[in-house]
């Protein structure tokens, strides 16, 4: 059930949150808010995969 929750959450992230990798954003120039979004997407994706 936990894995299913994270899979659904990952799909919502993909639909709602911006993808900074497609924009080619430089991590050293990213704002704190952008870094928080990147970290959140990474966390959810790793939980959905494992």
């Amino acid at each position: 059930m936990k894995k299913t929750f994270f899979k659904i959450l990952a799909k919502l992230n993909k639909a709602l949150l911006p993808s900074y990798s497609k924009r080619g954003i430089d991590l050293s120039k990213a704002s704190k808010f952008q870094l928080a979004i990147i970290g959140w997407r990474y966390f959810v994706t790793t939980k959905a995969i494992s």
Side-chain angles (χ1 to χ4, degrees), residues 5-49:
F5 171 74
F6 279 107
K7 283 188 177 189
I8 293 169
L9 193 56
K11 287 183 182 187
L12 284 173
N13 282 348
K14 187 174 182 179
L16 299 176
L17 295 177
S19 176
Y20 293 117
S21 62
K22 289 181 182 176
R23 295 182 185 179
I25 192 169
D26 186 13
L27 289 179
S28 63
K29 296 179 182 177
S31 69
K32 296 288 182 183
F33 183 71
Q34 290 170 332
L35 290 174
I37 290 175
I38 292 167
W40 173 252
R41 288 185 66 144
Y42 174 77
F43 172 75
V44 171
T45 301
T46 55
K47 292 291 186 178
I49 291 174

